[in-house]
Amino acid sequence: MPKITIEHDCARATEQLVPLLCRIKDISTETSDVKAFRVQTLEGTRPFDCSPGQTAMLAAIPYGECMFCVSAQGEDYLEFTVKRVGTVTEQLHALSIGDTVGLRGPYGNWFPLEGLKGRDVLFVGGGIGLAPLRSLLTWMFAHRDDFGRIDLVYSGSTRDDLIFLDDIQHVWPELPDVHIHLSIYRESEDWNGEVSYTAPYLEQLAFSPQGRAAVLCGGPSLFRTCLASLLKLGFEPDDIITTLEMKMKCGIGKCGRCNMGSRYICLDGPVFSIAELEDLPGAVH
Amino acid sequence: MLLPKDRLTPLLEHLQTPSVRLYVPAQAGGKTTRFALYEPHITTAFHLVNTALPPKDLLFPQTQKMYRYGFDEAGVPYIDPIHDADEVIVFGLRPCDMASIECMDAVFLTKGYVDEFYAPRRERLLAVAIGCTAPAKTCFCDSMGGDANEAPQADIQLNETVDGAAWVVRANTAKGTDALASWSAYLLEEAPGETAPAPAPAPAPAPAPAPASATPAPTPAPAPAPASASATPAPTPASAAPHTPEIKQTACTLRVDMTGVKEKLDALYEHELWERIAKKCVTCGTCTYVCPTCHCFDIGQENRMREGERFRSWDSCMFSNYTLMAGHHNPRADKMPRVRQRFLHKLCFFEDRYGRSLCVGCGRCVEQCPVALDITELIDEIGRITPSASPSAPAPASTPAPASAPAPAPTTSAPSAAPLTPPPAKEA
Amino acid sequence: MVNQIASEQDSIAMDTAVGETPLPETPFEPRIVAFACHWCTYSGADLAGLNRMNYPANVKLLRVPCSGRVNPQYVLTALNKGCDGVLVCGCHPGDCHYATGNYFAKRRLMAFKRLLEFSGLQPERFQVRWISGSEAGKFRDTVIQVCEEIRALGPLEGDSWGVDKGGTGDGSCVPVFDEAKTGTHEPSPCPQPSPPSPLSTPQNALRERARELLQSGEVSLVIGWGATRFENRTTPLFVTQAEEAEQLLFNEYCTNTLAKYAVREKELTSGRIALATRGCESRAVNRMLADRQLQRSDLVLLGLPCSGMRDDATGAVLTKCATCTHRNPVVFDEMLGEPAPEEEVDRFEELRGLEALDIRQRLAWFDAAWMRCIRCYACREVCPVCTCRECFVDQERVGWQGKQANRAENRFYNLTRVFHIGDRCIECGECERACPMGLPLMALNRKFVSDLDTLFASGEAGLSDEADNALGRYDLADTEEFM
């Protein structure tokens, strides 16, 4: 299999620092603290084109702005999946359909669509970490013939932490050669599936690295443990793709805070292979 | 061309017009010196080697409003960008300041995005640099690839003549050449009393014969500026070839050896030296705020009812909440990773990305750090590490202190710093 | 319209209260926020309304659970948001619903009011009154009177306090400021620094004891001073190996006060820490013991006599040392050298000079200082009594402190800093020494210290390890400056 190459140094934003005024087209409540917002321009069009994995800065006027992955895009909207964790996300959650938000982007790079072609792809995600993966998943579903078997290992602390549950349980399993493996960490009455942390579950499922790439996204501990498991299963660092999170302010590689070694996550990332991260001081640790 | 020193004030008054803001090094109260708007009553400070605050705020203000937003009377939301760049002349930059502007240009004008708030300010800036004559003890620009005498990126460069009575003026850029046209009334075509014709093209002055103040340092290669004085179209061409008098040449007394430092740092991320260096750091933002090249910023807003302004403001990687994310995860919660980030960014990461060091050797952080945490000592220490050492091996020497005190600085103490007179007692 | 301030996050409430009043028209109508205790004044205002008493609509009431709940930062926030004056109303002493809240409030607000006046705010603009639930008439009269007084003063922004934030950050608004006018701040000039002369006996003893303590394992770390590449400059030094003890220095350029380092180092080492301890370090240690930042058993204090440290550039005795009242440690485990003779100093000399100025002169003086502040927080970081794990500045969710560097925000930071540390300030002067912009921070600290001493006989801080800071307690017999 040829090496997966990931584009870096991607400056594609149409709105750099000053946001575009947009309107919330639709809101869906995924869990008690996660909502998905569909955002379009005031004219009712899609704000900009983006590739799976790219990010954008969504602003709750006037409270501030935060960087989110575009979790899906439609004809006339971009979708952002937002977990309520801080001031800005709290204010975003308080908005209703028709309210105005600011939006700028798209920032950063995207998943290596070409490099993944012809391979089996294993997705590993936890909690809100499915949001960035979703954009790639939906893209793959739309170009189903280009890829081999698709597996999703997805977990959360409880059932309530699993987002897009409707898609996961009812829509995606019906697609050809798509296999979903769900687990939660704590046993509960409303759950009759697997109860396990992600990493042991991943090892138990014993995916073969042969002709397969892995895409990993989750919090720091999930990232650390699952990465170790993937390496144990024999995946090459070149074949494990991840998308990073770091505090960001400008999105255009100037403000400095998402700097990691010679890279800026907002410009060169957020998508990296583990092999690339190993060369970035501090990234994997 | 020459600018006699007694014509400086008339020239400044001439340059300060309603449409142009003129900034000069000036006293600003307390210990503060900075580039301040020229007004007749301010105390200019052209004698300073470096102003305490760097000139970066002229291009990258500490607080810069980016746009206003809100809802109008009909409830319709609006976002109005604020673009407020004026024509600015900054008069009296030092060569290191000029090099720092080059770093800022790399950050704000390259790598895919041209910053829409920086670019117009940069475009409307006329940079007038003055070559140094007596570097401070903390100056080390020539170790960082600079030259205390030359500011090739400046639009106009001034160098003091050996007799100290005037500056040799030359334009380095087309913009500088244009600007010089309006200075002509204040300039002399040739040195008074000088009659000997100069060698026809005199792009750079001959090396000065041991100036009075400086040690006979190795004369830095007199890099000819792109546009030399002779190339400047003089408004009234003199019949005889103008003679450029000799200018004072100088060099820094503080030297560090940058050879191999970047390459070593590539492998030193996990080295124990960072914890040792970080111990004394108090994680204030002084070094980053007085640094002419530190350019990190935060974006915030100030609201009032249903409208507000979003601004960007200087931020510092020394502050704990710089990398604090929503949900309380902080990859650099302790001070050691923050100190490491600052030095690695200065000496290693920036070079990877932009091909040059982010330290220009101005010495401001060395001078102003409240706990005397000194980047030049760090560079020395890195130099002493053998590249083959395993990442966790202890460094050979922990500080440059010799065994006995008073500790004369090992390599670089200023030669003039040992007066014999005892200091008078403080009168309480 | 009444808003309740339930938590710090409700500065929005303040926004609304200030914003609802129309912008000043001609003739000028002042905007005033009154923080009213829920248990007394708020009812008093209600009663005034029920009795159809007329009082000016300029005053917006913000209900607080107790006058003790009125954080001085509320007052500064209100002024920064455009109020022309602030009124705080609480229960009469003795009547507090929570028994003691207003006694604490009285102490804090008295000291704070003096600090505000010192920094240039006319006293009429910040007033405190005790108004019970039955004193509707007093409430009305107070509001009328405060309103009249502030109306006579005119809008606050004309005084550079309010919404006119000042400064663009590009140096264009830096006022020119002549220190000579006050003549109190610059150290007396001294043309040339002299080379350091090691204070040989104490230095040798320090090295010796450091070596012994490290060798015997009694301590695992010695914190002292070491050399830099510049002859007249020292730097904090952390010695863990006996053979490195020779690197310790003690000369007249040991400008750093070291005690605060012990707090972090204590978390990193298992053993005890030996600290080079002069008067300033010893008082800092005492204060940190009182604040439970350290335990005495963590430390071995190696006492050093000090006759004042010098500026490495000018050779002049540091301002902080010229006003030092304790050149010898007030607490130590062993003394390494003969005690230095203590000198009679007048530490409030600069302060009296400033107090003698007209309030408008002081305003201009401090405004110039605020404009210079670059908010590097060096003053906070070196302060031995700034020990909060999270500073109010960093509480971004609460949003006390905006990140803009302008006069209003800088003033907010600097005055709040003084209020937070003022009753524990050991007057070591590290903040002012560390300030890269030379802000007159000790003038503010000393103002607070001096007022607390005048009002509550608080004395000098850090002379013992008891938590006796004046704003952490109250006395029924406290003076009353508000009625």
Side-chain angles (χ1 to χ4, degrees), chain C residues 82-262:
Chain C
C83 283
D84 300 299
V86 174
L87 175 65
V88 175
C89 303
C91 304
H92 287 270
D95 288 351
C96 178
H97 180 78
Y98 307 100
T100 59
N102 53 1
Y103 286 113
F104 285 107
K106 190 167 80 166
R107 277 203 169 200
R108 289 175 202 159
L109 297 178
M110 272 201 282
F112 189 63
K113 183 177 166 71
R114 283 168 168 241
L115 181 68
L116 286 179
E117 188 179 341
F118 181 63
S119 63
L121 187 80
Q122 289 115 329
E124 294 84 355
R125 294 197 189 271
F126 172 55
Q127 304 203 31
V128 183
R129 291 285 188 282
W130 313 129
I131 300 172
S132 80
S134 57
E135 293 176 314
K138 180 174 180 185
F139 175 77
R140 180 199 54 196
D141 297 345
T142 302
V143 165
I144 291 173
Q145 178 218 337
V146 169
C147 226
E148 282 308 311
E149 286 174 0
I150 294 176
R151 188 177 286 119
L153 289 175
L156 181 59
E157 48 207 282
D159 289 336
S160 81
W161 257 83
V163 284
D164 164 29
K165 307 267 180 195
T168 61
D170 62 0
S172 57
C173 287
V174 176
V176 175
F177 163 63
D178 189 357
E179 309 250 7
K181 279 182 190 151
T182 59
T184 51
H185 199 58
E186 289 293 295
S188 56
C190 174
Q192 294 266 296
S194 67
S197 58
L199 307 166
S200 59
T201 316
Q203 175 173 288
N204 289 341
L206 178 62
R207 291 177 176 182
E208 183 116 338
R209 283 301 290 143
R211 183 169 42 245
E212 287 166 8
L213 288 166
L214 287 165
Q215 229 150 26
S216 68
E218 281 176 78
V219 304
S220 52
L221 172 70
V222 179
I223 306 179
W225 303 270
T228 67
R229 67 163 71 241
F230 303 105
E231 195 174 22
N232 296 333
R233 198 177 293 182
T234 67
T235 186
L237 181 68
F238 301 81
V239 181
T240 53
Q241 304 296 322
E243 54 272 24
E244 289 170 2
E246 289 304 307
Q247 295 171 6
L248 286 165
L249 293 182
F250 187 56
N251 59 36
E252 67 269 60
Y253 293 100
C254 295
T255 52
N256 290 86
T257 298
L258 303 171
K260 198 179 185 185
Y261 284 116

Side-chain angles (χ1 to χ4, degrees), chain B residues 70-89:
Chain B
F71 298 86
D72 66 16
E73 280 166 12
V76 179
Y78 63 86
I79 290 181
D80 294 334
I82 304 171
H83 291 290
D84 58 352
D86 290 325
E87 290 290 336
V88 166
I89 300 175

